[in-house]
Amino acid sequence: MWWGGRGHSFNIAPQKDNPELGLSAPKSIQGSGMPEPRRNQLGSCLTSGCLSGEQILAWAPGIRKGLEPELPGTLICTNLRVTFQPCGWQRSQDTPLSSEYDFALVNIGQIEAVSGLSRVQLLRPGSLLKFIPEEILIHGRDFRLLRVGFEAGGLKPQAFQVTMAIVKAKAQSSQGQQYAGIILSKAGQSSASRNPPIPLLETSEDWETERKKQGARDWRVSTVNERFDLATSLSRYFWVPKRTLDSEVRRTFGHFHQSRGPRLSWHHPAGSDLLRSGGFCTASDPNKEDIRAVESMLQAGHSDVVLVDTMDELPSLADVQLAHSKLRTLCQPDSSAAEDKWLSVLEGTRWLDYIRSCLRKASDITVLVTSRVRSVVLQEHSDRDFNGLLSSLVQLLSAPEARTLLGFQSLVQREWVAAGHPFLTRFGETTASEEVCTSLPTFQFPSSQAPVFLLFLDCVWQLLQQFPAEFEFSEFFLLALHDSVRVPDTLTFLRDTPWERGKQSGQSNSYTKVYTPGYCQLPAGDSINPQLSVWNWSLRYSNEQRLQFHNPGYDPESCPDSWLPRQQDAGAKHHQNT
C-alpha cells in the first residue's frame, strides 16, 4: 500500500504582528536572549525566499525526533503552516510552494504536548496549555508525524509560545481565513509555461475538444447550465444526445436530485456509452412527455439500456470515513499495534474490503460496457461520489489513454473536479470525537465527511501493482496527488463545485492572484493570470521529483491507439514541464 505523505505549503514571509493570535513575531526573536548579530542572522534565515502575505507567528529551536540521526533546527508557526526548518537548510526558489518539512494547517489532525514520561495533553481549539512542553507531536492527516523536542536553557517560554501559536492558528484556519491575502509568486507565468496543458473543462471549446477525442459523434455540448442556473453542483457544460434540445434537457433534469440528470461520462470506441446520473426525485410528477424525454436521454440512441445502482454492494460514506480513520491511526509511527498483528488489524479496518468491492463492481460494469453496444447508466442519489469513482475505474480498465500521465489527470479533472465532487466537504475538519473513534464501535461520523477520492487513489494503486506495464504514471505520482488534497495553493480541491471555484476566482474562466473569501478583485492595472490548478506541478515539485512521476516499467505499446501525444523516449524536456 502507498499511504504516506509529503506535505507542501507556502513560503514564509517577513514577520508582522498578528493581534488576532495575541502574538507578535518580532518579540519572539527579540525576547530570545540571543546576541543581536545572531538574532539578525536567524531572522534573515527565517524570512528568506518569502512570498508576500504569510506571517511568522512564533518559533522555537528544537530537535526533530523519530529520525536517524535526529535533526536540529527551528520549529516555525505561520498563519498558513507549521515548518520544521533544519539548520543550514534553504528553501528552493524553483519550487516556492514545496517543502518536505511543511505541515499545512489544514493538514494537521491532532496536536499533543508532552512533558516528562507521563504528562501528555491533547490540545484542541481553545485549550490552555497546562505546562511548558518538552516535546510537541503534530499528527498529519496524510499519515505523517512531526515530533519536535525543545531545547532547554532559557528557551522554554518560546516552546510554550510556539505550541500555543500552532493551536490558535489551527483553530483559525477556516476555509476562508487561511487563504486571505496570499499572493502566489508564480501566478503570473504565461500559459505556455504550463506544458503539457491539462484541459480544465471550463469552456465549451474544452468540452468539444474532449468529445471529438472520444469520438462521441452522437453527442453534443450543452450550454443549458452556462450560468449555473440549472444546477450549481454541475459543470457549466456537459454532453447530451445530439438530438436533445436544451429546453428538453432543462425539463428532464428537473426530475433528478439536484437537477443532475443523465449525461455522457465516456464513449467506448466500440459504440457503447457510459452515463452518470443522480437519483430520481420522489416528489416529482412527470407527465408522459417528460417520461419519454427521460427515457430518450437514458437510452442515448441505443436499444439496450442497463441502469446500475451505484451504491449496491458498496460502502456508505460513514463506512469509508470510519475505515480511513482507523487506517490512519494504524499507520501512524506511534501506533500501538503489535508488529505480528499489524496485518490482522489492517484487515479489521475494512479499508481493503472496500477497495475490493469497488474494483469488483468496476470490473462488472466494464463487462457491461464492452460486451455489447448499449447505454450503461450509473445512478447514485447525489451523483457526486461513487459515480465518479466507478466511472473513473471503468475508464482505467477499458481505455489505455486513461492510464497515461496526461490522460489520468484529464480523467480526474473531468470525473471529479468538473463533475462537482465535494472535495472540501468530504475532507472536512476532524471532530474531537474522531480522535477516539477506534475505541467506540458505535461512533457515527458526520455523514458529509468521507475521503472517497483517496479510496479511488488506493484502488488505482492496486491496479498499478497488478499491471505495472499498463500505467505510464508511477506510485510517486499517486502520492503527490494524494498529498495535494490538503495543500492550500490552488482551488482544485478547496471547493465543492465548479460554481464555487468560479465565484472564488472572481472571473468566469480565470483565477486571480489573490485568494480571499467570497469574490476576489483584480488589482488595479493587473491582468488576468492563467488558472492555477493542482496540475501545475512545477510550483511544488522540482524537475528531479517530476521525473519520478513516470513509471519506468511502462510499455508504450499498451496504448497503441491513444489520442494523447506520446514521447518516443524519456526526454528531459517532457519530464521537466510535466
Side-chain angles (χ1 to χ4, degrees):
M1 285 156 287
W2 58 283
W3 310 302
R6 303 170 182 84
H8 311 290
S9 187
F10 291 93
N11 287 51
I12 304 168
Q15 299 171 338
K16 298 179 181 179
D17 289 350
N18 193 323
E20 293 183 2
L21 290 175
L23 296 169
S24 58
K27 293 180 181 179
S28 295
I29 297 178
Q30 294 172 1
S32 65
M34 292 183 183
E36 184 70 25
R38 186 180 175 189
R39 287 203 305 266
N40 293 338
Q41 182 180 8
L42 180 57
S44 175
C45 178
L46 296 183
T47 59
S48 62
C50 307
L51 290 178
S52 176
E54 190 169 5
Q55 302 172 8
I56 295 178
L57 306 176
W59 63 271
I63 298 176
R64 183 167 183 178
K65 298 188 175 183
L67 303 176
E68 292 295 339
E70 294 180 340
L71 194 64
T74 305
L75 182 65
I76 306 166
C77 175
T78 78
N79 59 325
L80 284 177
R81 62 176 179 177
V82 174
T83 297
F84 184 82
Q85 182 169 310
C87 294
W89 175 79
Q90 290 186 346
R91 190 178 300 275
S92 172
Q93 295 305 304
D94 294 332
T95 53
L97 305 182
S98 171
S99 167
E100 60 183 300
Y101 303 110
D102 294 335
F103 272 66
L105 293 177
V106 293
N107 189 37
I108 296 176
Q110 183 174 296
I111 305 170
E112 293 178 305
V114 180
S115 178
L117 299 176
S118 58
R119 299 189 72 181
V120 179
Q121 182 180 351
L122 181 62
L123 299 174
R124 299 187 175 96
S127 296
L128 289 177
L129 189 54
K130 300 176 181 178
F131 50 83
I132 295 179
E134 296 179 5
E135 288 187 15
I136 182 173
L137 282 74
I138 299 176
H139 299 262
R141 297 184 184 179
D142 57 1
F143 301 95
R144 293 188 302 153
L145 173 66
L146 177 61
R147 180 187 173 195
V148 177
F150 296 110
E151 296 179 358
L155 297 177
K156 288 184 177 180
Q158 284 181 271
F160 183 92
Q161 201 173 36
V162 72
T163 301
M164 288 308 302
I166 294 172
V167 174
K168 292 179 180 179
K170 171 67 177 106
Q172 293 187 5
S173 63
S174 67
Q175 62 186 30
Q177 290 173 316
Q178 59 199 359
Y179 315 113
I182 300 302
I183 300 178
L184 304 182
S185 64
K186 287 196 174 183
Q189 61 184 341
S190 66
S191 58
S193 66
R194 292 194 300 125
N195 183 32
I198 302 301
L200 299 184
L201 299 175
E202 294 186 337
T203 67
S204 58
E205 291 78 10
D206 284 347
W207 284 91
E208 180 62 16
T209 300
E210 288 293 305
R211 183 193 67 81
K212 290 180 179 179
K213 286 179 179 179
Q214 293 192 16
R217 298 179 179 179
D218 295 328
W219 296 81
R220 67 175 180 86
V221 178
S222 173
T223 61
V224 70
N225 197 44
E226 195 166 31
R227 297 183 178 181
F228 295 109
D229 54 348
L230 175 65
T232 57
S233 66
L234 281 176
S235 58
R236 293 176 182 273
Y237 311 100
F238 44 81
W239 298 312
V240 298
K242 180 181 293 187
R243 296 183 179 181
T244 304
L245 302 176
D246 276 352
S247 58
E248 295 177 302
V249 173
R250 182 179 296 275
R251 188 174 67 251
T252 301
F253 276 38
H255 296 294
F256 292 84
H257 179 68
Q258 293 186 350
S259 295
R260 297 180 66 91
R263 44 206 201 284
L264 178 65
S265 184
W266 177 61
H267 176 75
H268 190 275
S272 292
D273 291 309
L274 180 65
L275 285 68
R276 58 186 293 178
S277 169
F280 295 111
C281 288
T282 56
S284 67
D285 185 20
N287 55 37
K288 291 183 179 180
E289 185 177 351
D290 290 345
I291 293 176
R292 285 195 296 268
V294 170
E295 292 176 346
S296 175
M297 295 196 70
L298 294 174
Q299 289 178 328
H302 299 280
S303 58
D304 186 12
V305 181
V306 178
L307 198 62
V308 178
D309 181 0
T310 296
M311 295 308 299
D312 185 32
E313 299 181 353
L314 291 188
S316 66
L317 293 178
D319 291 335
V320 173
Q321 175 73 345
L322 181 58
H324 187 263
S325 181
K326 291 180 178 180
L327 175 68
R328 188 172 65 241
T329 300
L330 176 63
C331 293
Q332 289 287 358
D334 58 346
S335 172
S336 59
E339 185 174 350
D340 59 339
K341 296 182 179 179
W342 197 90
L343 291 176
S344 61
V345 176
L346 171 63
E347 192 68 24
T349 67
R350 301 211 64 191
W351 183 257
L352 296 180
D353 287 338
Y354 299 153
I355 291 175
R356 280 191 288 268
S357 298
C358 292
L359 290 174
R360 185 183 303 114
K361 184 144 192 171
S363 178
D364 292 342
I365 296 171
T366 300
V367 172
L368 290 175
V369 173
T370 58
S371 60
R372 59 176 297 181
V373 177
R374 53 161 61 105
S375 171
V376 179
V377 185
L378 304 179
Q379 188 166 39
E380 177 190 20
H381 179 67
S382 68
D383 181 37
R384 300 177 68 183
D385 293 294
F386 287 95
N387 266 4
L389 183 147
L390 290 177
S391 176
S392 299
L393 290 179
V394 169
Q395 293 177 62
L396 282 170
L397 292 171
S398 308
E401 60 270 12
R403 299 191 291 270
T404 64
L405 188 55
L406 296 185
F408 184 75
Q409 293 175 85
S410 297
L411 175 69
V412 172
Q413 183 69 28
R414 185 178 69 251
E415 297 297 335
W416 294 86
V417 181
H421 176 68
F423 288 102
L424 193 61
T425 298
R426 295 295 179 257
F427 294 113
E429 291 295 312
T430 304
T431 62
S433 301
E434 183 178 345
E435 296 160 358
V436 294
C437 70
T438 55
S439 62
L440 299 175
T442 59
F443 174 77
Q444 295 294 321
F445 286 99
S447 59
S448 61
Q449 296 184 22
V452 180
F453 184 65
L454 301 188
L455 180 66
F456 163 68
L457 292 183
D458 214 338
C459 289
V460 178
W461 185 90
Q462 299 291 342
L463 293 175
L464 176 60
Q465 299 309 302
Q466 295 181 52
F467 310 101
E470 302 289 329
F471 290 83
E472 185 185 22
F473 53 87
S474 66
E475 174 185 77
F476 187 87
F477 173 75
L478 291 178
L479 276 171
L481 192 53
H482 172 278
D483 295 347
S484 297
V485 300
R486 297 193 186 280
V487 174
D489 57 11
T490 73
L491 291 177
T492 305
F493 299 133
L494 297 181
R495 294 295 178 265
D496 287 340
T497 67
W499 174 77
E500 291 178 3
R501 293 184 190 93
K503 184 181 73 169
Q504 185 78 13
S505 71
Q507 298 291 332
S508 60
N509 291 318
S510 295
Y511 296 124
T512 62
K513 278 186 179 179
V514 185
Y515 296 144
T516 57
Y519 288 91
C520 299
Q521 299 296 327
L522 282 170
D526 205 348
S527 59
I528 298 176
N529 291 284
Q531 296 165 333
L532 290 176
S533 74
V534 70
W535 316 123
N536 292 104
W537 297 111
S538 61
L539 290 174
R540 288 171 285 125
Y541 291 88
S542 66
N543 292 339
E544 292 74 16
Q545 289 174 317
R546 298 200 304 277
L547 280 171
Q548 298 180 56
F549 286 4
H550 295 258
N551 174 18
Y554 173 63
D555 180 10
E557 297 303 319
S558 299
C559 188
D561 301 319
S562 172
W563 43 259
L564 292 167
R566 185 187 309 127
Q567 300 294 319
Q568 297 302 317
D569 56 0
K573 181 177 180 180
H574 172 73
H575 294 312
Q576 289 175 0
N577 292 297
T578 301

